[in-house]
Amino acid sequence: MKTTSNSSLLFTVLVIFSCSWAVSSHEHDDFLQCLSLQSNNHSSISNIVYTPKNSSYLSILNFSIQNLRFESETTPKPLVIITPVHESQIQPVIHCAKENGMQIRVRSGGHDYEGLSYTSQVPFVIIDLVNLREINVDVEKKTAWIQAGARLGELYYRIAEKSRTLGFPGGVCPTVGAGGHISGGGYGTLIRKYGLAADHVIDARIIDVNGRILDRSSMGEDLFWAIRGGGAASFGVILAWKLELVDVPEKVTVFTIAKTLEQNATNIVHRWQYVAHKLDEDLAVRVFIRRANSSQDGKRTIQASFQSLFLGGVDRLLPLMQQSFPELGLQREDCTEMSWIESALYIYGLPVGSLEVLLNRTQANVRHFKAKVDYVQKPISKNGLEGIWKRFFKEEAEEAEMLFVPYGGRMDEVSESSIPFPHRAGNLYKIHYMVNWDEEEASERYINWIRRLYGYMAPYVSKFPRAAYINYRDLDIGVNNKGNTSYAQASIWGRKYFKNNFNRLVQVKTKVDPSNFFRNEQSIPPIYSKWTKNGK
């Protein structure tokens, strides 16, 4: 009876999902056959499997694509998309992908800057965690379990449902998926007070290369260390995080003050570099650099927008700013008091009102973009800043921006090896570069502009290595080959992301995934495997 049921299901699956794609139909059918035979709940398989012949395939694929550079017709597409509704539905996918020589891409929110969570140059399957989004908040213990497919906005909303004096030091963008964000470190406006999102992970659930579901106790401390900042996709499929929530006051204060070149922006930004990392840890003042209209008719200028979150009331903020950063000229009327959860709306540029917008899982105004990152350890001279302004007057910079994120505070106190994220003490601030555009055919022009800006910045930023942040993935800094990855090759980009932590990550990878099954263009390689050339 069981054999008849399996055969019937297999016939149904193959009829519904057969396709001619970049690999032979034989390979494709073998994967689907394996999946149907390996799955425990056979009747539900067809509800979570999508191939290009399925009418919903493109809508499922494109739903979480956050960069239109990777939505073109020429972008490699997955043979199959799996949207599990239960953890147990992921294990057969791993087994069958291994059996059929197919790569896996795991997508939680789709915000990978280079599209590596949903593209590949070789035959691949996407495990889309969009349906694994449960969040459980325990106010008494100040903890929360969050599944990897949940968005940060959903997390903040669920915390606020139960407490207005608890928060979490995650990212600003509410549609970012928790799985990838936390596994790369993750940061937001609470960075100076509480450090990174990954600093507050106290347990996790992951499926390893053998299909085992592991928690902190069963995975061991080495793997638990690696997945908190080392990019968990190199080690397995993250299912959920257990988070330590943080205290926030009932009222916080926010402000945004914009200064143009005509309003002394160069001098104020220059001064900001000397004070932002030394401010009270309750205060974070970040700076956006953009091109803007000048007060003079027909002319363009540069605008520096100073945006701040202060964990306290305006009466305490004003004397702090007057003492430490009077050059900005902050006044009481510039400030607004609100709850921390309301500040999450304000900081992202959403109307401060209904919190329901945080539950929106779709990103508004998705466009083509390219981004890069740097770390600054010595203040940039005024001449250096003016060189930046000059490049922002180019045509391609119409919708470009730089964001300066201050460090100091808690970031100076945590060891660079406590988790794989090494960018701690010694950094004044982080720079995030981004350029946006609409026309696909113009991509090369805009990408070349940001590369030239990045090249100009080399004398002013970290060196040996020039550091990078894995959550702002950038394939310009180096890639693995399509399957043959040497330690030396991977260390080119690996040391930029992880510095001295790279060697330990390689050791963990070698132990937990020696065959290098979980791999992409910038995955951690094992030291020795059939995929590795030239070992160490």
Side-chain angles (χ1 to χ4, degrees):
M1 191 66 138
K2 184 176 179 181
T3 303
T4 303
S5 174
N6 284 348
S7 300
S8 175
L9 174 68
L10 173 59
F11 176 79
T12 302
V13 169
L14 293 180
V15 169
I16 294 176
F17 298 124
S18 61
C19 73
S20 56
W21 200 238
V23 298
S24 70
S25 59
H26 174 72
E27 290 175 292
H28 179 264
D29 290 350
D30 282 352
F31 174 80
L32 292 176
Q33 178 180 1
C34 175
L35 192 62
S36 66
L37 296 175
Q38 287 291 321
S39 300
N40 293 324
N41 189 356
H42 295 145
S43 62
S44 68
I45 294 298
S46 61
N47 294 325
I48 65 167
V49 178
Y50 302 84
T51 74
K53 284 292 184 72
N54 188 286
S55 61
S56 301
Y57 171 85
L58 278 180
S59 63
I60 296 292
L61 176 62
N62 293 338
F63 177 78
S64 295
I65 291 180
Q66 311 295 346
N67 188 343
L68 293 185
R69 286 171 57 207
F70 307 109
E71 197 181 293
S72 69
E73 292 183 0
T74 59
T75 301
K77 304 294 193 297
L79 293 165
V80 182
I81 303 171
I82 313 291
T83 59
V85 295
H86 190 273
E87 296 174 348
S88 63
Q89 294 171 323
I90 299 174
Q91 293 160 305
V93 181
I94 294 174
H95 172 82
C96 295
K98 287 167 60 180
E99 287 293 307
N100 291 276
M102 300 169 71
Q103 285 194 11
I104 282 179
R105 293 291 187 265
V106 182
R107 182 167 72 175
S108 55
H111 283 264
D112 187 293
Y113 276 15
E114 297 284 9
L116 297 189
S117 63
Y118 52 88
T119 66
S120 176
Q121 298 301 316
V122 297
F124 73 108
V125 175
I126 290 178
I127 299 176
D128 193 328
L129 303 177
V130 63
N131 294 320
L132 297 181
R133 52 190 288 200
E134 185 176 343
I135 300 169
N136 292 307
V137 176
D138 187 326
V139 172
E140 289 188 5
K141 295 182 179 179
K142 298 184 180 180
T143 62
W145 272 104
I146 177 171
Q147 286 189 300
R151 307 300 206 253
L152 296 182
E154 295 175 300
L155 172 63
Y156 302 153
Y157 181 91
R158 298 305 174 195
I159 294 171
E161 270 188 323
K162 295 192 174 182
S163 172
R164 291 301 177 97
T165 57
L166 289 176
F168 186 72
V172 167
C173 178
T175 60
V176 168
H181 178 72
I182 297 172
S183 80
Y187 76 94
T189 52
L190 295 177
I191 184 172
R192 301 193 66 251
K193 178 71 172 182
Y194 291 115
L196 305 177
D199 292 333
H200 297 267
V201 173
I202 55 178
D203 203 345
R205 289 173 60 80
I206 186 173
I207 301 183
D208 73 0
V209 68
N210 298 312
R212 298 177 301 173
I213 297 179
L214 308 174
D215 62 9
R216 179 175 183 173
S217 175
S218 55
M219 78 175 74
E221 287 302 301
D222 283 343
L223 181 54
F224 184 63
W225 172 84
I227 62 177
R228 292 174 296 146
S234 290
F235 305 97
V237 179
I238 282 291
L239 300 173
W241 303 105
K242 186 177 184 180
L243 308 176
E244 173 189 58
L245 305 182
V246 300
D247 294 317
V248 294
E250 290 186 3
K251 290 294 182 182
V252 303
T253 305
V254 297
F255 68 78
T256 302
I257 296 179
K259 300 288 185 180
T260 64
L261 297 183
E262 295 78 13
Q263 297 169 320
N264 204 29
T266 301
N267 288 329
I268 299 174
V269 172
H270 184 256
R271 178 60 182 161
W272 174 91
Q273 298 178 100
Y274 289 87
V275 301
H277 65 290
K278 297 178 181 178
L279 294 171
D280 188 292
E281 65 178 12
D282 287 338
L283 177 59
V285 181
R286 59 185 195 159
V287 186
F288 288 93
I289 305 297
R290 302 184 182 101
R291 200 163 79 189
N293 291 320
S294 172
S295 56
Q296 302 176 23
D297 291 342
K299 291 192 175 182
R300 306 288 273 164
T301 188
I302 301 300
Q303 183 180 80
S305 296
F306 297 81
Q307 186 188 64
S308 177
L309 170 67
F310 176 64
L311 299 177
V314 65
D315 289 335
R316 188 161 75 93
L317 170 62
L318 288 173
L320 284 175
M321 286 294 290
Q322 183 57 41
Q323 178 182 358
S324 302
F325 195 20
E327 294 84 357
L328 188 59
L330 181 68
Q331 302 295 318
R332 182 175 292 270
E333 54 267 28
D334 300 317
C335 304
T336 304
E337 293 184 340
M338 58 183 62
S339 65
W340 176 80
I341 189 63
E342 289 173 324
S343 79
L345 301 173
Y346 173 88
I347 293 294
Y348 190 63
L350 296 170
V352 178
S354 172
L355 300 181
E356 302 295 325
V357 68
L358 292 172
L359 300 178
N360 186 352
R361 295 169 62 82
T362 58
Q363 176 87 354
N365 195 26
V366 176
R367 306 177 67 191
H368 302 76
F369 75 84
K370 174 68 178 177
K372 290 181 173 290
V373 66
D374 264 319
Y375 290 86
V376 178
Q377 297 170 341
K378 295 181 180 179
I380 301 172
S381 66
K382 292 180 184 179
N383 285 340
L385 294 175
E386 288 168 352
I388 297 174
W389 311 159
K390 179 180 178 181
R391 284 154 177 81
F392 266 75
F393 284 118
K394 298 292 185 180
E395 180 183 356
E396 294 83 2
E398 176 69 24
E399 295 187 60
E401 71 175 29
M402 292 172 69
L403 170 60
F404 297 173
V405 179
Y407 268 40
R410 180 61 179 160
M411 293 299 285
D412 282 350
E413 299 167 358
V414 179
S415 165
E416 67 175 30
S417 61
S418 65
I419 63 173
F421 183 95
H423 315 297
R424 304 284 189 167
N427 292 296
L428 303 182
Y429 60 98
K430 173 188 293 183
I431 299 178
H432 178 245
Y433 313 83
M434 179 174 283
V435 61
N436 299 278
W437 65 94
D438 293 316
E439 309 83 12
E440 181 181 344
E441 59 274 12
S443 294
E444 185 176 358
R445 187 158 55 90
Y446 288 93
I447 292 172
N448 285 339
W449 176 85
I450 199 170
R451 286 171 175 165
R452 288 193 298 270
L453 174 61
Y454 184 75
Y456 166 79
M457 293 296 294
Y460 304 107
V461 298
S462 61
K463 300 174 180 63
F464 313 117
R466 184 173 183 177
Y469 172 39
I470 194 170
N471 274 2
Y472 295 158
R473 199 187 297 277
D474 181 4
L475 295 186
D476 288 349
I477 68 174
V479 296
N480 301 330
N481 289 336
K482 292 181 182 178
N484 299 319
T485 302
S486 71
Y487 174 94
Q489 182 184 47
S491 67
I492 294 173
W493 56 263
R495 294 194 185 281
K496 291 176 180 287
Y497 288 137
F498 307 116
K499 299 170 74 172
N500 293 333
N501 293 322
F502 178 68
N503 284 346
R504 185 178 174 189
L505 286 169
V506 171
Q507 292 169 2
V508 176
K509 174 72 170 184
T510 304
K511 180 179 179 180
V512 303
D513 183 19
S515 66
N516 203 23
F517 173 69
F518 291 110
R519 66 188 186 275
N520 60 44
E521 285 79 351
Q522 284 189 342
S523 56
I524 299 294
I527 296 176
Y528 299 110
S529 80
K530 66 179 181 179
W531 299 104
T532 304
K533 290 183 176 179
N534 301 325
K536 184 172 180 179

